[in-house]
Amino acid sequence: MAVVSDTSSRIRSMCGRRTPGPQYGRLVTRWDAHELPVLPGRLQRLADELNEEALPALDGASDPVIALVELAYALRPHLHEGRVPSYGVLLPPGPIADVVSASAALHTSVDLIGAHDLDLKFARRFADGVTSFGVRTDDAVDQLACFDRNMSDEHDLVGLQAAIGGLIIQRHPAGEVRVFGPAGVVRWNGTGWHHDVPMNAWIARLSTVAPDLPVGGVRPLLRFAIHKLGGHRIGATLIWRPTPHAVPPHRHESLIHNAPPLRVGKVGEEAALAHALSQTDGAAVFDGTATLTALGIRLAPSSVAEQSISPIGGMRHTSALRYSHDDPHSIVIVVSESGPVTLMHAGRAITEADPADETIG
């Protein structure tokens, strides 16, 4: 959290903690007073909140103070006739051309439109955080990045950030504010913050918990769970079975037959799968290639699992944890309707990529 702490120190040095004074003026000279999205004191309180919550929202920013200003604007955008606008801004660490090459890697294209002559306040009006994003490299939005398709999905923005580096800050049309950076995704849902660590941290944790499974293969399914399902608040239980071992007898009861072999990692097929899961009870089963093999599965725990595994959370989490006890050749991913993801293996719940931060399991 050194970045947030350093940012807090810089803001304190520029605007003070209680009264504006001369240091407030030094902050205003950097941005026109009309361009500040919030008062400096409120900006300081946001920095303090990120620090107290141990949220790495500013990690990876070339200029953390600018990133903090953009986050503050996303949290409290300017209203027009009572309408709360969506918003999106890219804060790349390098040349603007990196955005073009990154979009090509994501099978989309982007037009960069110069916005040098627009003041910051007005330039933000063109960045909807869906298909158009401001590109801020200094004290202004220098370019508008206009993509040829909807890029508001969390899954897409995770990939875009990985390709260009730096930070992406978005206020989604649904109202959620998200920061995408090298430290993962930090979300504000209107009442609280949530942080999802990068995929590599989850995979590293799984490799210690399930050393006999090829856990690297679960990456696309885990990404789908965190950024597609969790990002859309779709509760689900996903069972990944990468080995040829048979499913333990009497542990599955199929409620839906002949599920199509949809593949995670294919944009259209992922969308179809997420849409079905949002309307279907029961678990979904995937093979080692993250291809759907069964849907609408009722999980029936063994008597041993019921006796040895205590309830956790709601019925979805409890039945999934007991199933993982009965099927040690699987990784079970449970997505809560509120977004957070829990991994399960051999009767153990993994709630954090860092075991030191784990609350259950």
Side-chain angles (χ1 to χ4, degrees), residues 329-353:
H329 302 292
S330 69
I331 297 290
V332 182
I333 305 171
V334 180
V335 186
S336 169
E337 292 178 4
S338 59
V341 170
T342 302
L343 305 186
M344 301 175 179
H345 174 68
R348 180 177 182 182
I350 307 161
T351 61
E352 298 285 348

Side-chain angles (χ1 to χ4, degrees), residues 55-60 154 157-159 161-162 166-169 178-187 194-202 226-227:
L55 294 167
L58 307 182
D59 290 7
E154 185 171 304
L157 291 179
V158 166
Q161 187 282 324
L167 294 183
I168 298 175
I169 298 174
R178 305 186 286 204
V179 182
F180 302 85
V185 182
V186 175
R187 305 188 191 92
H194 176 70
H195 174 219
D196 280 322
V197 299
M199 205 63 53
N200 287 342
W202 279 113
I226 294 173
H227 301 303

Side-chain angles (χ1 to χ4, degrees), residues 286-299:
F286 298 81
D287 64 17
T289 65
T291 299
L292 181 69
T293 60
L295 183 65
I297 300 297
R298 189 179 76 85
L299 302 179

Side-chain angles (χ1 to χ4, degrees), residues 2-15 26-28 30-31 35-40 42-44 46-47 50 57-73 89 91 120 124 136-140 167 169:
V3 172
V4 175
S5 298
D6 292 345
T7 302
S8 298
S9 299
R10 287 178 59 191
I11 294 174
R12 287 191 184 95
S13 69
M14 288 188 287
C15 64
R26 283 162 51 194
L27 178 61
V28 173
R30 184 168 184 179
W31 295 285
E35 306 296 347
L36 280 172
V38 293
L39 293 173
R42 186 178 291 167
L43 202 63
Q44 177 60 55
L46 175 57
L50 295 176
L58 307 182
D59 290 7
S62 299
D63 188 326
V65 175
I66 285 179
L68 187 67
V69 167
E70 290 299 322
L71 176 58
Y73 176 78
V89 63
L91 301 167
L120 181 59
R124 287 194 179 109
R136 185 164 181 174
T137 56
D138 227 327
D139 288 347
L167 294 183
I169 298 174

